[in-house]
Amino acid sequence: QFEESGGGLVQVGGSLRLSCATSGFTFPDYAVGWFRQAPGKKREAVSTISTIEGGAKTYYRESVKGRFTISRDDAKKMVYLQMNNLKPDDTAVYYCAADSRDYSGEWYALKGMDYYGLGTQVTVSG
């Protein structure tokens, strides 16, 4: 299970920190990430992070590089996404996700992950 939080309405240039509390699976064994879906668009990978054992390798889609930072806390079974300098194009529902295969972020960007939360709305105005 996933419980996303931290979404909301923010002005252009503002910041938000998304959090995802997980349960029901062996968190350290899973790659995790954030995906988003804007109205009328396909779901897209925003950022992923591999397992700690896999080197905690991160992936970011080009449009968020330098602005977003993903992190994981295996002890708390949490995933975070710090989003800075937000832009109107970042407006979407953001979904926490997990996958047991620990593939590369590029692979997940093409194929997606196995499990998704219900999402949290992020709206950037201005």
Side-chain angles (χ1 to χ4, degrees), residues 15 19-20 22-23 28-30 45 49 56 58-59 63 67 83 86-87 93 97 99 108 110 121:
S15 298
S19 299
C20 176
T22 72
S23 63
D29 293 344
Y30 281 65
I49 184 168
T58 57
Y59 161 87
S63 63
R67 300 189 296 123
M83 305 187 295
L86 283 160
K87 303 176 180 181
V93 177
D99 193 281
Y108 289 126
L110 288 174
Q121 177 70 45

Side-chain angles (χ1 to χ4, degrees), residues 28-117:
D29 293 344
Y30 281 65
V32 290
W34 291 92
F35 289 68
R36 69 187 181 188
Q37 187 168 18
K41 294 186 177 181
K42 292 183 178 180
R43 185 170 58 195
E44 60 187 21
V46 177
S47 180
T48 65
I49 184 168
S50 71
T51 62
I52 301 297
E53 186 173 341
K57 296 175 183 177
T58 57
Y59 161 87
Y60 297 94
R61 70 179 299 105
E62 193 64 34
S63 63
V64 308
K65 285 181 179 178
R67 300 189 296 123
F68 291 12
T69 303
I70 191 171
S71 59
R72 63 185 295 159
D73 185 331
D74 284 9
K76 295 181 179 179
K77 302 182 181 180
M78 297 284 294
V79 191
Y80 305 97
L81 185 69
Q82 177 66 43
M83 305 187 295
N84 298 327
N85 191 22
L86 283 160
K87 303 176 180 181
D89 284 349
D90 296 320
T91 295
V93 177
Y94 283 70
Y95 300 90
C96 182
D99 193 281
S100 64
R101 292 165 288 185
D102 210 16
Y103 287 165
S104 72
E106 288 77 11
W107 193 93
Y108 289 126
L110 288 174
K111 302 293 188 181
M113 288 186 165
D114 276 345
Y115 306 105
Y116 294 86

